[in-house]
Amino acid sequence: MTSKNPKDKAKIRKRKKPEWTLGPIPEDVFSPTNFSPEPKGPQAPNIPQIRRLEYLVTNPDLYEVADAVLPRKQPGTRGRTPHFPPYIYMIFLAAISVFGTALATEANLQHPDMWNIVRKGVRLRLGDEEADALPASGPLKHHWTEFQPKLLRILPRLREASRDIWIRQALAQGLLAEDRPRGCWLRPHRSQVINVDATVVRPPSDQTEPVTIDEDTGELRRHRVDPDAGIQIEGGDNAVYGKKIVTFSVRQAETPHSRVILDVDSARHRSPEEDPEREEEASTACRMANDILDRAPGVIAISIDTVWRGMHRAPLIRRGVIVYTPQHDGINPRPLQKYAYPGCVHDVYAAVGRSCERRITVEGKTLYNPLPVRELLVRGSGTNWRFYHSVEIPCRKGPHRELIPVYETAEDRSIDPRTKRKKFNRCEHIRQIPPHTDFGDRLKGFRQDSESNHSTLDYTHWDKRIPAYGAAGSLLLYIGYAWVNNSVALGTATESALWPPPTTRPPNDQPAVPAAADHHAAVLVGPPR
């Protein structure tokens, strides 16, 4: 249905239709005749808040990162001793994403049953002495607001320490495995593909002016303005007011609650006028991708949106990774090479992310006929990988086979003396796995998990707003959200939560008998299995 609002129509980008046509996508190695899509996985069961809190406080790595970046105050040193140990504030930070707000977190941790969950989780991971030393009730909001500046001061260290532990957790759960037989270059296993996406988190207030004047009464009204929020572009042309955060994640195939967030960082605090190509977001994602590849060499493919261009994909391809992104609009076909054989000549161009033969129809129009790729060849090792398409050029004299590089060659990187630029941005015009193919659409579909992750983040907090001002504050709360998400993934994978798993409903649809007689009391029942 077309919008009748002229403002909505103004947002629609006018795209000029190409003056050429594209031939049919052939059946080849990227779109085989026997291709079968991914089977639909089971529906994810809902996990209640109390269960999420148990997963969180029984995650041993949470205490490890708190001890690494938040050392305790030693006796005799200057400063006031915090009312709670540092790891309690890490639990409070993450619990904001469980209960929605800091006030709701305070109220829940003041309840004896909820605080008992925390105490017994501490007892399990740190021992009886540590648990007995905790106060009788949980922290209040003012304890959190007093400690929060300390977390903001060490935010880079906290993010890096969390990233290293999250990647370690993923490897321990069988994700990002180096066992290549689990998947191939064309169809990597779901657990060997990392998804990248950016989301715009909304600040607590949409106010953009610190002082406004009521037109009726003349009253001056003062507002708190987020210093880092601005108009961001999300989903192509959708303008959203907020702050942009980039995330990397991976998950198991057909396994609910198996998503592990690998890294998270804020990006692009500049306006679209200052950064029209979203270069800050793209460079941030490249830096994060290289950090993950340094620690998880089992990654086979990366799926991301159009924020990455050829200059961003080329270095990652040299590291031996399949980088899938949709094709940018407005990219014109680029000549690759003219192949001359006895009695025939074939003009090969790069169009829509793959090699095509350029032909002129009887109507005088330009037609780009995609060439079938019979094999994806991979050569190299370390940081010098090379990818090739073994294409078949149809011909009345018989098909010709040619090898076309789909990585940035040394000749491509050489500088053109006329333009002072690289001779050919090959990775911008041709892809390892082209779009509009069965295997390309498969990798593109994996990004839906990132959209689901960001939707969960929005609905986790009240009014779909991150309750923090500034880019650093929003990133801090996102790190807390990631700890909850990864603790749930770890708990469901290893059954490390202390609460017994819920009983399934019998086949006759009779109410299930609870595992414990008093399931409303948050009673923890022993060590993890």
Side-chain angles (χ1 to χ4, degrees):
M1 182 176 180
T2 305
S3 174
K4 297 181 179 180
N5 191 338
K7 294 183 178 180
D8 294 337
K9 292 183 179 180
K11 296 180 181 179
I12 300 176
R13 180 183 300 174
K14 295 182 180 180
R15 298 183 177 92
K16 186 179 179 180
K17 293 184 178 180
E19 299 177 353
W20 47 270
T21 56
L22 182 70
I25 302 298
E27 290 186 354
D28 59 2
V29 69
F30 300 120
S31 297
T33 55
N34 59 348
F35 175 81
S36 58
E38 301 296 309
K40 186 177 181 180
Q43 183 178 359
N46 189 24
I47 299 180
Q49 292 178 339
I50 188 172
R51 182 75 161 165
R52 292 178 183 271
L53 181 63
E54 289 174 343
Y55 283 134
L56 176 67
V57 299
T58 54
N59 187 346
D61 296 323
L62 181 67
Y63 302 94
E64 179 181 339
V65 74
D67 186 60
V69 302
L70 294 168
R72 303 194 187 193
K73 181 180 178 299
Q74 298 300 322
T77 58
R78 291 185 177 182
R80 185 177 59 181
T81 303
H83 194 69
F84 291 87
Y87 61 82
I88 292 294
Y89 295 101
M90 282 292 298
I91 293 175
F92 193 100
L93 165 66
I96 293 176
S97 295
V98 175
F99 303 112
T101 64
L103 279 174
T105 303
E106 171 195 297
N108 278 275
L109 295 186
Q110 289 296 303
H111 194 281
D113 289 342
M114 289 293 191
W115 185 238
N116 251 354
I117 293 176
V118 177
R119 292 174 65 96
K120 292 186 178 180
V122 173
R123 189 179 306 277
L124 173 67
R125 298 307 180 195
L126 300 182
D128 294 338
E129 182 179 353
E130 186 70 31
D132 294 339
L134 291 175
S137 59
L140 301 174
K141 184 183 176 182
H142 75 85
H143 294 135
W144 161 247
T145 54
E146 290 174 359
F147 196 86
Q148 186 181 15
K150 296 183 180 180
L151 289 173
L152 292 175
R153 286 195 295 270
I154 62 166
L155 184 59
R157 290 171 49 208
L158 175 61
R159 187 193 70 81
E160 293 173 2
S162 298
R163 173 202 61 201
D164 294 345
I165 286 182
W166 295 338
I167 295 174
R168 189 180 71 189
Q169 285 184 348
L171 293 172
Q173 295 173 43
L175 300 166
L176 310 177
E178 293 188 66
D179 186 12
R180 290 299 172 101
R182 295 187 60 191
C184 62
W185 295 104
L186 289 173
R187 189 165 188 163
H189 193 267
R190 182 72 181 266
S191 63
Q192 295 169 316
V193 181
I194 57 178
N195 308 310
V196 193
D197 197 17
T199 185
V200 178
V201 295
R202 298 173 61 193
S205 170
D206 288 336
Q207 295 292 338
T208 58
E209 299 294 334
V211 179
T212 59
I213 301 177
D214 191 303
E215 296 180 357
D216 297 329
T217 64
E219 177 188 1
L220 291 177
R221 296 181 177 177
R222 302 187 181 277
H223 310 283
R224 186 173 180 182
V225 179
D226 194 310
D228 295 322
I231 299 298
Q232 311 281 350
I233 302 301
E234 187 179 47
D237 300 329
N238 189 24
V240 183
Y241 181 74
K243 296 152 291 188
K244 184 156 285 188
I245 293 180
V246 182
T247 58
F248 282 68
S249 63
V250 65
R251 69 170 305 153
Q252 291 282 7
E254 305 176 47
T255 306
H257 300 297
S258 63
R259 181 197 305 120
V260 175
I261 297 175
L262 302 173
D263 198 3
V264 55
D265 204 355
S266 57
R268 188 166 180 243
H269 311 314
R270 294 179 288 169
S271 65
E273 292 77 11
E274 296 174 339
D275 186 16
E277 298 298 328
R278 298 191 289 174
E279 182 58 32
E280 185 173 341
E281 177 187 340
S283 59
T284 299
C286 283
R287 170 178 53 81
M288 297 166 67
N290 281 288
D291 290 341
I292 294 174
L293 292 177
D294 290 340
R295 294 160 176 80
V299 176
I300 293 182
I302 302 176
S303 179
I304 190 174
D305 60 13
T306 55
V307 68
W308 273 355
R309 307 300 295 259
M311 60 178 292
H312 305 112
R313 290 188 288 267
L316 295 171
I317 291 173
R318 286 198 297 270
R319 297 196 62 168
V321 178
I322 298 290
V323 183
Y324 179 84
T325 65
Q327 184 75 352
H328 284 269
D329 294 329
I331 297 182
N332 294 320
R334 176 73 181 266
L336 281 177
Q337 190 169 346
K338 184 175 290 187
Y339 295 96
Y341 306 97
C344 62
V345 175
H346 300 271
D347 211 1
V348 178
Y349 275 62
V352 297
R354 63 185 301 158
S355 54
C356 303
E357 184 179 5
R358 182 176 180 266
R359 296 179 178 178
I360 304 300
T361 65
V362 293
E363 294 86 3
K365 296 182 179 180
T366 303
L367 170 68
Y368 291 98
N369 195 30
L371 299 178
V373 180
R374 298 309 178 192
E375 190 176 1
L376 175 65
L377 300 177
V378 184
R379 302 287 185 268
S381 62
T383 58
N384 187 26
W385 288 84
R386 304 176 303 279
F387 294 80
Y388 302 88
H389 284 176
S390 178
V391 301
E392 182 181 278
I393 304 176
C395 181
R396 58 186 174 84
K397 295 181 176 295
H400 308 286
R401 294 291 289 265
E402 292 291 344
L403 212 60
I404 296 180
V406 290
Y407 70 100
E408 190 179 62
T409 65
E411 184 180 356
D412 297 334
R413 291 193 295 268
S414 61
I415 303 300
D416 191 328
R418 294 183 299 104
T419 62
K420 308 299 181 183
R421 296 180 179 178
K422 293 180 180 180
K423 287 187 176 180
F424 185 33
N425 189 358
R426 184 179 296 267
C427 296
E428 178 76 359
H429 296 275
I430 193 167
R431 308 297 174 81
Q432 299 156 291
I433 297 182
H436 312 297
T437 60
D438 290 338
F439 286 142
D441 292 342
R442 174 180 179 266
L443 290 176
K444 182 179 179 180
F446 287 173
R447 287 196 61 254
Q448 296 177 359
D449 186 68
S450 298
E451 300 293 344
S452 171
N453 177 41
H454 292 150
S455 177
T456 303
L457 170 73
D458 292 338
Y459 284 98
T460 294
H461 299 93
W462 182 81
D463 198 25
K464 298 192 290 187
R465 296 176 182 270
I466 297 295
Y469 286 91
S474 298
L475 178 60
L476 179 64
L477 287 187
Y478 202 116
I479 291 175
Y481 164 77
W483 271 107
V484 176
N485 175 90
N486 294 350
S487 297
V488 171
L490 177 64
T492 54
T494 62
E495 288 299 327
S496 63
L498 301 181
W499 199 26
T503 307
T504 56
R505 183 174 291 274
N508 59 1
D509 288 335
Q510 295 298 320
V513 179
D518 185 9
H519 61 90
H520 294 289
V523 179
L524 308 186
V525 292
R529 291 177 289 177

